Amino acid sequence: MKSSRPLRTLLLSLACSAALAAQAQSAPIRLDVPAGDLASALDAYARQSGTQLVYRSDQLKGARSPGVRGQMPAQLALDQLLKGSGFQPRHGGNGAVLIVAQASKSAVPARRQAPASGPAQTESTPAQPQQAEEPPPTTDLGTVQVTGSRIPRTQVEGPAPITVMTSEEIQASGFTSVPEVLQSLSQNSGETQSQQSAGGADFSPGAQQVDLRALGPNHTLVLVNGRRIADFPLPFGGRSNFTDVSSIPLGMIDRIEVLTGSASAIYGSDAISGVVNFILKSQADGTEVSYRYGQTERGDAQSHVLNVSSGFNRGAFSAVAGFEYSHQDPLWGFDRKQQDSSFDAPNPTRYGYPPRNFLITDWWDDYIDPGEATCDGLSSLNGGNMGYAYRRNYGYYCGSDQSVAYRTMISKRKGINAFASMTYRFDNGNEWFADLQAGRHELSLFRAPRTWALMMPDGNEEGYFYNQATDQVEYWQRVFSKEEMGGLRNGMVNTVQKTFGATTGLKGVFGEDWDYEVALSHSQYKADISWPQIVASKANDLFLGPLLGYDDDGFPIYNAPHDRMYTPLTRAEYDSIFAYTTYHPQSSSQTLSFTLTQADLFQLPGGPAGFAATAELGHQDYDLKPDPLATQYYYYSWKDSNGKGSRNRWALASELRMPVHERLNLSLAGRYDQYRFAGRTPGRFTWSAGMEWRPLDSLLVRASYGTAFRAPDLHYVFSGPGNDETSVPDYYRCAIEEPNETLDDCSYSSEGIIRSRAGNRELNPETSTSWTAGFVWSPRHNIDVSLDYFDIDMRDQVQDLRASEVMRNEYECRTGVQPINSPLCVDTLARITRSADGGIYGVHVNPINVARENTSGIDFSTNLRFDTRIGRIGLSGGYTWVRDHEIQVYPDEPIVDMFAVNSGYDIPRTKANARLWWEREAWSASVQANRLGRLPNGWSYDEVWEAGDPGPWLEATYRYNANLQYKFTDRARLSLSVVNLTDEKPPVDPTYTSYPYYDISWFDTQGRSYYLEFTYKFGGKPL
């Protein structure tokens, strides 16, 4: 019964929208548009009337408007607004109003080409009758480039749903960073890294991702101005490549366009789950300066952001440029009471023990009691918080409950981004263009205090040794205090990010009626990343003394009095075993493209057919450039792999848009991509088709279908050898030595091993199919709703071969289930290393094409806008309900429902957002609400939930932002944003036993925060 609730919610929303449409009055609207620049007047008219206007801004230069005030029908008001300007309105079948030059006037004729700007917001407005006595003459129209198609067209809706967020909406929603904006998207449902993620600190510090449809960040294509940008130079989770969205400057964004579903036939590989296109500002008619100051309600995590943008026109040359400076103070775990101590654990008696800063155990892992007096002698450490501690079932040790909070929730960050966009129009109608972007950021975060235990030269981290001083096998562990380190700042992970992008090219008219564009783009991402480390051999010598040999059981022998463990290190001693391991990773991407478009290829009953063809040459490379010592067993518990590689590609693509009837448009796209890497040339043809049917002026019915393929990530292919430690069941030894025992009771059910890993140069591309079907309904100009069903089926997904799977295959090969000479058995036996006594020592794995993943569901959105006596009021919202999301990691394994209890996955079935806004004269206000559907609790996520435990779910959570703006003049504006308006905290999860005791992928304890921004504009049209 519960699964039907989302559908009932959607139907109820549709019914409510229909009721609102039926009750809507046809009364005149109230307008207040001052005389002046025509473009400014049209912008004000569009905002106040809710009418979608489409026009070429360059045509309107110098044109003036007499303005309009009072109450009157929207069409009459627009006619008055355009009176004497040389322009007139023309209504499109999709409801958009086109502003075109009158034939009798000397307005500059429009040329058929795609400007840098993209689509306006998706809105369908019913056509209204012309007021003129004579029908307007046919005029060649300027066109709009829409994400999801390369064909310029006057429609603002296509066969696949597109979500558009403008810079004004982003500011009014209270968002302060690009990751915050994307996190609010209902379609962005994947579990990605936050600034608190330990994995993010280890593998990709400072970077954040977008994960449409929860198919993995590497399956979402991120573009800037429609161009590919370089990946973050380190892989996500040490495995796959991805794009860092945190490096994109929020203040430079004009709008964000999100196309969900496969777009591979248009954009090439990487676009399996969708496309996120960041459109940067490309126009400026003056100088705009804004400064934003922010801090939390508790007075910490202060931030400063300064934005300056300007532009000018000098004859045929025009340019816009700007920069953004940002500075963010860090926020520490100990700054929030909810997570400043290990005693904040949900069950302190069982889980709230302090970290084991000073620990010695025997062979059976029983803690060797240091005595309270010994711990009292250490009480000055960690700010006087070190003390005598006890862990149930284990024993006593010396620990600090506050040291668990020595980590950053928000990273320290400062940096600058700069951009410029330039064009030069030649007398022959051609145009040169160039876009530049550069950024440099310094970022610091604290992952956790450094630790040490015995690690042998071969990388063995079991840590046990025979201690001559006590005549027993022991294990020693140290977590260093902030006093020994010389302060927490000496344990920061430090990153310097340097990004650069450049695009240049020519566009114009080829022949008489073909538009062309040739463009060369380059993007690079370089970083210097330093991690604090403990040098294993030096720390071994400092704490344990020289290695004296090995005993009969193979344990290393040391003579180490316990006093050495319980003596704090001097700063000099700590520095003698401490070092930074520094990487210099880099990545780049280059694309040379040539595109031809023809908006009138041939005539069909519904109008001219549009055509586009594209040829591309591309290159992509990356190089991890790690510290050479980090690829050896040099630093404690840190042995990394190298990775370096490149690939070339070429592609041919074409797209055809066919208005087969005045109310029916069909589109078809096809593309062939071929990659060249590692001596291989995988290639594939992909295609997509779309349908747009308008049975009524107010109703669009649409559908799309597409195939896609994705070449394997560079790091999956070129990753160098690296090791880590894990445990596996030894199926073969259990079967031979303990045949009467179950696996759980077998002595070899969990054997510690060294797992080695390397890339796989024989990987095949991943493939997928995707389709959508839905409608957009706009019964009035101020009401629209959309509902779309989506389905994505991905196959041959790359996953790492499981070490446990290798062990199972070995068992089957050695016991005759599989032929011992088969390719599977030959490969399996070569992956396993056993010691002389038959024990398992190591297993080698690599990425393979194995998994299949499918997701389907519904996206719903609505926009309502009304004029009232108290001002203009609007409501917009989006809702995504995922019908199912299933994965089959191995062909012989069952299909896993990722929403099921104990599935081990952590994604929401539902996400929603809504924004309520109000405008009146100089004032505007809005409230943004975000809803995150229920998630599995800690036990369910860890696959250990059992009947009788607390319920396996965390209920849905809500977060609210608010924004209030006031315009002192038409050039000065003050804005106050409140993030997390109701000061919501992470939900209490009694099963989440690891610090900080909540899911850091989805929640934080930053609390209510305030941001005050002042904007002033010099010259040009008003704000």
Side-chain angles (χ1 to χ4, degrees):
M1 293 298 292
K2 289 184 179 180
S3 62
S4 66
R5 290 179 181 174
L7 183 58
R8 291 204 301 270
T9 301
L10 294 175
L11 294 175
L12 179 60
S13 300
L14 290 173
C16 291
S17 299
L20 288 170
Q23 297 172 9
Q25 301 295 318
S26 58
I29 60 175
R30 181 182 295 105
L31 295 168
D32 185 4
V33 181
D37 176 71
L38 179 58
S40 299
L42 290 174
D43 288 346
Y45 171 84
R47 290 194 302 270
Q48 296 177 30
S49 68
T51 304
Q52 175 62 59
L53 299 180
V54 180
Y55 58 86
R56 284 280 301 276
S57 59
D58 58 339
Q59 287 185 311
L60 271 56
K61 290 178 181 176
R64 306 289 292 178
S65 169
V68 61
R69 284 183 172 85
Q71 287 189 330
M72 64 188 74
Q75 177 59 51
L76 181 61
L78 183 58
D79 289 341
Q80 181 174 330
L81 201 68
L82 294 170
K83 186 176 180 179
S85 68
F87 293 86
Q88 63 188 26
R90 179 175 170 185
H91 296 271
N94 65 336
V97 180
L98 314 171
I99 307 302
V100 300
Q102 293 177 345
S104 58
K105 301 295 180 181
S106 58
V108 179
R111 178 168 51 82
R112 193 168 51 241
Q113 70 181 52
S117 61
Q121 282 198 280
T122 56
E123 177 182 323
S124 182
T125 309
Q128 301 183 24
Q130 296 278 353
Q131 299 297 315
E133 296 181 0
E134 298 292 335
T138 302
T139 306
D140 188 22
L141 302 179
T143 55
V144 176
Q145 182 72 41
V146 181
T147 294
S149 172
R150 293 186 184 275
I151 298 175
R153 62 188 191 270
T154 55
Q155 275 80 355
V156 295
E157 276 287 356
I162 299 175
T163 300
V164 181
M165 291 174 289
T166 66
S167 58
E168 292 81 6
E169 292 171 331
I170 291 171
Q171 183 186 46
S173 299
F175 298 122
T176 59
S177 69
V178 169
E180 279 185 23
V181 177
L182 298 181
Q183 187 66 23
S184 72
L185 286 173
S186 62
Q187 302 94 334
N188 182 21
S189 54
E191 182 186 16
T192 55
Q193 294 169 345
S194 73
Q195 295 190 63
Q196 303 180 77
S197 299
D202 281 343
F203 299 112
S204 47
Q208 292 179 264
Q209 311 83 22
V210 57
D211 185 1
L212 297 178
R213 306 300 188 203
L215 293 172
N218 57 331
H219 296 112
T220 297
L221 176 60
V222 176
L223 306 173
V224 174
N225 289 340
R227 317 284 181 183
R228 294 171 179 270
I229 61 175
D231 290 330
F232 188 78
L234 292 178
F236 178 73
R239 298 293 188 261
S240 59
N241 300 106
F242 70 97
T243 302
D244 175 22
V245 296
S246 71
S247 66
I248 299 173
L250 183 66
M252 298 180 186
I253 293 173
D254 181 68
R255 67 185 183 279
I256 303 173
E257 302 170 355
V258 182
L259 170 66
T260 51
S262 174
S264 185
I266 296 173
Y267 291 105
S269 62
D270 303 302
I272 284 181
S273 59
V275 179
V276 178
N277 190 11
F278 295 92
I279 308 296
L280 303 185
K281 295 176 181 178
S282 61
Q283 296 181 0
D285 59 348
T287 300
E288 184 175 313
V289 180
S290 67
Y291 167 73
R292 188 188 76 209
Y293 171 79
Q295 67 174 43
T296 72
E297 186 175 60
R298 295 160 179 82
D300 47 26
Q302 296 179 349
S303 65
H304 309 265
V305 178
L306 174 66
N307 269 286
V308 178
S309 62
S310 185
F312 66 90
N313 295 284
R314 296 291 185 271
F317 180 77
S318 62
V320 58
F323 74 89
E324 177 183 84
Y325 171 80
S326 60
H327 181 99
Q328 173 69 62
D329 288 342
L331 183 65
W332 293 82
F334 50 75
D335 289 328
R336 291 295 177 266
K337 188 174 182 180
Q338 185 175 344
Q339 60 182 75
D340 63 356
S341 166
S342 58
F343 297 130
D344 293 321
N347 186 344
T349 302
R350 183 171 183 180
Y351 303 113
Y353 54 87
R356 291 154 291 183
N357 298 74
F358 295 81
L359 173 68
I360 298 178
T361 79
D362 60 22
W363 166 247
W364 296 273
D365 290 333
D366 292 324
Y367 297 175
I368 298 175
D369 189 348
E372 187 172 1
T374 298
C375 295
D376 288 345
L378 304 170
S379 61
S380 62
L381 299 179
N382 283 341
N385 185 246
M386 196 72 68
Y388 192 47
Y390 177 76
R391 182 183 179 188
R392 188 169 63 97
N393 298 330
Y394 286 89
Y396 290 93
Y397 61 97
C398 301
S400 166
D401 67 280
Q402 293 181 9
S403 65
V404 72
Y406 292 162
R407 61 192 69 196
T408 49
M409 295 168 50
I410 297 178
S411 304
K412 178 182 179 181
R413 187 173 191 138
K414 65 178 180 179
I416 188 168
N417 279 290
F419 77 100
S421 179
M422 299 165 285
T423 60
Y424 184 87
R425 296 177 179 85
F426 299 98
D427 294 338
N428 60 5
N430 292 322
E431 179 180 307
W432 168 80
F433 62 90
D435 296 321
L436 299 173
Q437 181 275 326
R440 186 183 189 278
H441 287 84
E442 298 178 4
L443 183 143
S444 297
L445 59 90
F446 197 92
R447 181 168 60 97
R450 298 296 85 202
T451 63
W452 167 84
L454 175 63
M455 186 179 89
M456 301 305 293
D458 64 353
N460 188 308
E461 294 181 34
E462 292 181 357
Y464 294 98
F465 66 95
Y466 176 73
N467 191 349
Q468 285 186 346
T470 59
D471 193 27
Q472 64 179 344
V473 174
E474 295 178 350
Y475 171 89
W476 287 23
Q477 175 184 296
R478 278 284 262 111
V479 180
F480 298 104
S481 68
K482 61 182 182 180
E483 289 82 5
E484 292 172 307
M485 296 166 54
L488 296 179
R489 60 184 178 84
N490 290 326
M492 289 281 201
V493 179
N494 297 313
T495 300
V496 177
Q497 303 171 342
K498 293 164 284 188
T499 59
F500 176 76
T503 299
T504 187
L506 296 170
K507 61 183 177 182
V509 179
F510 178 77
E512 295 184 357
D513 54 3
W514 286 84
D515 292 335
Y516 79 91
E517 180 188 274
V518 57
L520 174 64
S521 63
H522 167 80
S523 176
Q524 67 183 38
Y525 199 132
K526 294 183 178 181
D528 300 307
I529 307 176
S530 298
W531 287 271
Q533 301 290 1
I534 298 298
V535 179
S537 60
K538 293 182 179 180
N540 294 347
D541 293 341
L542 179 63
F543 285 104
L544 304 178
L547 176 63
L548 302 178
Y550 293 86
D551 69 6
D552 294 339
D553 294 319
F555 290 108
I557 302 172
Y558 292 94
N559 187 352
H562 286 188
D563 289 348
R564 190 65 196 97
M565 164 61 83
Y566 295 108
T567 302
L569 300 185
T570 65
R571 179 64 190 279
E573 287 175 323
Y574 182 80
D575 287 346
S576 71
I577 63 173
F578 172 83
Y580 268 102
T581 177
T582 302
Y583 292 26
H584 305 280
Q586 64 182 42
S587 64
S588 70
S589 176
Q590 298 86 30
T591 302
L592 174 64
S593 63
F594 179 72
T595 302
L596 283 175
T597 59
Q598 167 62 278
D600 191 0
L601 187 64
F602 54 85
Q603 288 293 319
L604 288 171
F611 175 78
T614 299
E616 290 183 355
L617 292 174
H619 175 80
Q620 185 180 8
D621 62 70
Y622 89 115
D623 189 349
L624 298 187
K625 293 188 175 180
D627 171 5
L629 295 174
T631 62
Q632 308 171 28
Y633 292 113
Y634 183 77
Y635 302 110
Y636 171 69
S637 196
W638 182 282
K639 183 179 186 295
D640 208 350
S641 62
N642 201 345
K644 176 182 179 180
S646 65
R647 65 186 179 198
N648 298 317
R649 67 177 178 89
W650 64 267
L652 294 175
S654 63
E655 184 182 357
L656 184 64
R657 181 175 174 83
M658 299 170 290
V660 297
H661 186 269
E662 63 179 1
R663 294 190 177 275
L664 179 63
N665 280 298
L666 301 179
S667 57
L668 184 66
R671 181 184 183 100
Y672 185 84
D673 291 83
Q674 186 181 83
Y675 287 80
R676 296 177 179 271
F677 59 87
R680 303 176 59 217
T681 58
R684 189 156 301 185
F685 175 79
T686 56
W687 65 277
S688 65
M691 181 273 291
E692 305 161 55
W693 175 43
R694 290 179 170 84
L696 303 170
D697 288 342
S698 61
L699 180 64
L700 166 66
V701 180
R702 60 190 178 189
S704 67
Y705 177 84
T707 65
F709 92 102
R710 186 177 189 281
D713 285 328
L714 287 173
H715 195 63
Y716 277 140
V717 176
F718 294 107
S719 173
N723 295 348
D724 64 3
E725 294 191 34
T726 187
S727 59
V728 295
D730 192 339
Y731 296 101
Y732 176 68
R733 199 169 184 185
C734 285
I736 297 302
E737 298 187 21
E738 300 180 7
N740 297 323
E741 299 288 348
T742 65
L743 181 63
D744 290 340
D745 294 329
C746 174
S747 303
Y748 312 107
S749 61
S750 182
E751 296 291 274
I753 63 165
I754 300 294
R755 177 174 55 191
S756 60
R757 181 185 184 273
N760 183 0
R761 302 196 176 201
E762 300 301 319
L763 286 173
N764 294 317
E766 300 172 327
T767 62
S768 74
T769 59
S770 172
W771 63 272
T772 64
F775 66 85
V776 180
W777 180 47
S778 183
R780 290 189 58 82
H781 73 276
N782 59 337
I783 299 175
D784 65 75
V785 296
S786 69
L787 181 69
D788 292 277
Y789 183 84
F790 65 88
D791 184 284
I792 302 175
D793 187 12
M794 184 164 55
R795 306 194 180 196
D796 301 317
Q797 186 178 352
V798 177
Q799 297 271 351
D800 270 4
L801 177 64
R802 293 176 178 171
S804 59
E805 184 75 5
V806 176
M807 299 304 297
R808 182 180 293 277
N809 290 340
E810 183 210 26
Y811 159 75
E812 294 183 352
C813 291
R814 291 187 181 276
T815 58
V817 177
Q818 299 283 348
I820 192 67
N821 294 322
S822 65
L824 171 65
C825 291
V826 172
D827 176 73
T828 296
L829 298 180
R831 293 177 178 273
I832 294 176
T833 302
R834 288 187 178 272
S835 57
D837 63 357
I840 183 71
Y841 178 80
V843 176
H844 180 73
V845 300
N846 52 255
I848 58 174
N849 294 99
V850 65
R852 175 178 180 177
E853 192 168 356
N854 173 266
T855 184
S856 63
I858 291 174
D859 291 326
F860 170 77
S861 69
T862 185
N863 290 279
L864 311 174
R865 300 161 298 279
F866 298 101
D867 284 301
T868 71
R869 292 183 178 180
I870 62 171
R872 185 164 173 77
I873 297 175
L875 174 65
S876 61
Y879 178 81
T880 294
W881 170 67
V882 183
R883 176 177 172 267
D884 56 46
H885 196 139
E886 298 176 336
I887 188 169
Q888 186 180 29
V889 178
Y890 282 91
D892 59 347
E893 290 187 350
I895 296 174
V896 175
D897 177 3
M898 295 172 69
F899 296 121
V901 175
N902 287 337
S903 71
Y905 293 93
D906 188 15
I907 58 176
R909 186 184 290 273
T910 61
K911 281 188 73 177
N913 60 73
R915 186 169 72 94
L916 177 66
W917 55 268
W918 165 80
E919 295 177 350
R920 183 177 183 180
E921 298 176 347
W923 290 93
S924 65
S926 69
V927 175
Q928 170 83 20
N930 296 302
R931 178 187 184 274
L932 178 67
R934 73 176 190 180
L935 293 168
N937 67 10
W939 284 351
S940 178
Y941 178 70
D942 294 334
E943 302 179 65
V944 296
W945 184 85
E946 296 179 355
D949 291 337
W953 304 109
L954 296 175
E955 293 305 314
T957 55
Y958 299 81
R959 289 281 293 268
Y960 304 91
N961 297 345
N963 176 265
L964 178 66
Q965 297 185 25
Y966 177 74
K967 286 188 177 180
F968 299 98
T969 68
D970 59 4
R971 298 188 177 277
R973 179 180 64 217
L974 186 65
S975 172
L976 173 65
S977 295
V978 184
V979 176
N980 193 0
L981 180 65
T982 55
D983 199 20
E984 298 294 326
K985 296 178 174 58
V988 176
D989 183 355
T991 67
Y992 210 101
T993 58
S994 59
Y995 185 86
Y997 317 117
Y998 57 82
D999 190 338
I1000 57 178
S1001 295
W1002 300 107
F1003 307 110
D1004 63 69
T1005 56
Q1006 180 176 335
R1008 186 184 294 115
S1009 301
Y1010 299 95
Y1011 299 87
L1012 190 65
E1013 182 171 1
F1014 179 74
T1015 303
Y1016 193 87
K1017 188 170 185 183
F1018 303 87
K1021 64 183 182 181
L1023 287 169

